Amino acid sequence: MTDSIRISSQQQSRLEIVFDHLEASEDARQRLAQPKQTITVNIPVRMDDGSLKVVQGWRVQYDDTRGPSKGGIRFHEDVTAKEVTALSFWMTIKCAVVDLPFGGAKGGVCVDPKTLSRLELEQLSRGYMRAVYDVVGPDRDIPAPDVNTNATVMGWMADEFTQIERRQVPAVITGKPLGLGGSQGREAATGQGALQVLNIWAQRAGKSPEDLTVAVQGFGNAGYHFARLAHEAGYKVVAVSDSKGAIYSNDGLDPEPIWRHKHKTRELKGMVYCDTSVCEEADFDQLTNDELLELDVDVLVLAALENAITQENAEGVRSALILEIANGPISPEADLILSDCNIEILPDVLVNSGGVIVSYLEWVQNRSGDYWAEEAVEHRLAERLDREAKSCFQLADDEGVSMRIAAYMQGIGRIAQAMDHRGTQDFFNSASS
């Protein structure tokens, strides 16, 4: 274990704004300023050529005041302890925003998984679980998929935990394959939840889907399912992008065949990851990722990685609304610039919560042994998100604040209340006076 890395000064500044609105106790302010625990691990992986490669990873458990910590694991060559800490902070807020009985955590491994064979990837996945075994579990910390991890990787990790425990413990991991205790509806949940939040915004604004053009930056699992469902709902999806570039059509795109084309090589070769791009679609105009961000559309969807929009490119954004599916896709500096330009932002801690809501439902099913049909899962997701999203919109109206501040107020207010119920300085001082 290592000393905890605190959240960034920008995140702390945003916290202080929320604390002032809530009149939060000093105890809550101090406890939320840094993670509860940071674990650093070094994972040895035997490569196919017989050599040994040691990769570094982390598990940050930010807060567990409201329940066991919850959060994904990402495999990426640029992962750092600082990034994982920021992500665990957002997970803490997100779980409270939608009133789940969880705290927040996050995991990461500094590796490019696309350079690994299937066997090497399995060895890495199992090695990560062995390294963090002592600090995870259904009542302690429940991992899930994130960037470059999926149901297959989660299945390996869950199986490794089972092997160590010598008993079946499906609730230790969510986002698993169905055959290993996964939940119906989990794969599309993040995109589905994001569309639901957009629908609520559109209804409140008096707009119909057919009136709105949409550009999607990031065509991974969440971005694809959002784009597919938005297209089916009548929104005009005019552009999508992945890490290699973007495609555009003024007449609109159908995301389904684009997704199939992007993944056909992976399926033919039996690969875990896709190695083609949306840019190989010859029938559409090609754009750079920067050009996609500057399209004159009604809704810009950010579904890639953090800091897609910063103070360097924020002034070029021309959309009326930004939907944050990725975690932290707008830097705090860019947030201010976009606000000055009257661009509304629906924040990540609300918009992408569909994934963790269905992860919670998977955890409940694993613990009860009662598994539900996809329609029942979707109903439970829609019911919870409808209630919590509308509460955020109403709070923003009542307090005259942005949707981001309103979502943070809703989440942090619940966390601070739980902390205060354990006792505060004022409580103990009044008892001794």
Side-chain angles (χ1 to χ4, degrees):
M1 298 183 187
T2 61
D3 293 335
S4 293
I5 296 176
R6 296 174 69 91
I7 57 175
S8 69
S9 58
Q10 293 93 341
Q11 286 176 314
Q12 185 62 47
S13 297
R14 187 173 286 162
L15 263 182
E16 291 300 329
I17 294 172
V18 175
F19 284 147
D20 290 343
H21 276 283
L22 294 172
E23 299 181 356
S25 69
E26 183 61 28
D27 297 60
R29 293 173 187 248
Q30 289 195 39
R31 290 180 61 178
L32 280 170
Q34 62 279 309
K36 179 178 180 179
Q37 182 171 226
T38 299
I39 299 96
T40 301
V41 297
N42 293 294
I43 308 161
V45 181
R46 184 67 63 185
M47 308 300 283
D48 290 346
D49 63 4
S51 64
L52 189 71
K53 181 177 182 178
V54 179
V55 297
Q56 191 169 47
W58 298 269
R59 186 69 181 173
V60 178
Q61 296 165 343
Y62 202 91
D63 183 77
D64 59 1
T65 303
R66 287 169 46 87
S69 50
K70 185 83 184 73
I73 301 166
R74 62 175 51 186
F75 291 170
H76 197 278
E77 61 269 32
D78 295 328
V79 167
T80 64
K82 183 177 180 180
E83 176 189 48
V84 178
T85 299
L87 292 165
S88 70
F89 167 77
W90 286 320
M91 276 303 303
T92 302
I93 306 302
K94 184 192 308 182
C95 289
V97 167
V98 290
D99 205 18
L100 297 178
F102 290 141
K106 209 72 175 186
V109 178
C110 185
V111 66
D112 181 359
K114 296 179 182 180
T115 65
L116 303 179
S117 71
R118 183 173 291 186
L119 183 59
E120 290 166 345
L121 184 63
E122 182 193 13
Q123 294 299 312
L124 173 61
S125 303
R126 292 182 179 274
Y128 181 85
M129 177 51 73
R130 289 193 298 272
V132 301
Y133 164 79
D134 291 329
V135 298
V136 301
D139 298 306
R140 299 184 66 181
D141 181 10
I142 306 112
D146 197 71
V147 174
N148 288 334
T149 59
N150 54 23
T152 299
V153 172
M154 294 302 106
W156 286 329
M157 290 187 181
D159 182 65
E160 189 65 25
F161 190 91
T162 293
Q163 298 300 322
I164 298 170
E165 286 275 302
R166 295 183 180 271
R167 64 188 180 97
Q168 293 294 324
V169 195
V172 67
I173 293 272
T174 59
K176 303 179 297 294
L178 291 177
L180 295 178
S183 175
Q184 297 281 354
R186 174 63 181 85
E187 188 172 341
T190 303
Q192 184 177 349
L195 178 61
Q196 185 175 345
V197 175
L198 178 60
N199 285 339
I200 294 171
W201 173 88
Q203 291 167 5
R204 291 172 60 90
K207 300 178 183 295
S208 64
E210 293 76 12
D211 298 330
L212 300 171
T213 55
V214 179
V216 181
Q217 186 227 21
F219 204 59
N221 181 69
Y224 157 66
H225 282 293
F226 168 82
R228 174 182 63 82
L229 294 168
H231 173 74
E232 292 173 1
Y235 292 90
K236 187 176 181 181
V237 180
V238 297
V240 298
S241 74
D242 58 21
S243 59
K244 297 179 182 179
I247 54 174
Y248 171 84
S249 172
N250 188 57
D251 295 328
L253 305 167
D254 182 352
E256 180 66 30
I258 298 171
W259 179 260
R260 288 200 305 268
H261 173 81
K262 178 177 166 66
H263 283 261
K264 66 181 179 181
T265 304
R266 177 183 66 84
E267 293 167 358
L268 288 171
K269 294 181 180 179
M271 298 165 63
V272 176
Y273 300 105
C274 158
D275 68 348
T276 57
S277 170
V278 298
C279 298
E280 296 179 13
E281 291 282 347
D283 296 335
F284 305 111
D285 296 333
Q286 294 190 12
L287 304 174
T288 66
N289 273 296
D290 289 339
E291 289 172 332
L292 180 139
L293 295 175
E294 296 179 355
L295 286 174
D296 187 6
V297 292
D298 297 303
V299 184
L300 174 61
V301 179
L302 302 178
L305 292 171
E306 302 87 62
N307 295 322
I309 298 179
T310 65
Q311 59 186 345
E312 282 73 31
N313 63 359
E315 292 183 352
V317 175
R318 293 191 288 168
S319 63
L321 176 75
I322 295 178
L323 192 73
E324 293 186 329
I325 296 182
N327 291 307
I330 300 174
S331 73
E333 298 87 355
D335 219 10
L336 296 175
I337 295 172
L338 296 171
S339 177
D340 290 342
C341 295
N342 295 318
I343 296 175
E344 191 171 358
I345 300 169
L346 300 183
D348 50 358
V349 293
L350 174 64
V351 170
N352 67 25
S353 62
V356 74
I357 291 173
V358 176
S359 276
Y360 161 70
L361 297 175
E362 179 178 333
W363 178 75
V364 170
Q365 292 171 83
N366 291 158
R367 293 171 73 91
S368 68
D370 180 20
Y371 289 84
W372 310 323
E374 186 170 357
E375 294 78 10
V377 173
E378 290 178 351
H379 174 74
R380 285 173 166 86
L381 165 62
E383 186 177 50
R384 179 177 293 267
L385 194 50
D386 184 71
R387 179 181 69 244
E388 302 302 336
K390 287 180 178 177
S391 176
C392 279
F393 279 106
Q394 190 60 53
L395 185 59
D397 288 346
D398 292 345
E399 297 291 331
V401 296
S402 69
M403 274 295 291
R404 190 186 306 284
I405 295 299
Y408 271 58
M409 287 176 65
Q410 181 159 301
I412 293 174
R414 288 168 172 162
I415 298 168
Q417 181 184 57
M419 289 177 171
D420 289 352
H421 284 168
R422 287 166 165 79
T424 64
Q425 180 181 6
D426 290 343
F427 172 80
F428 290 109
N429 282 346
S430 64
S432 60
S433 59

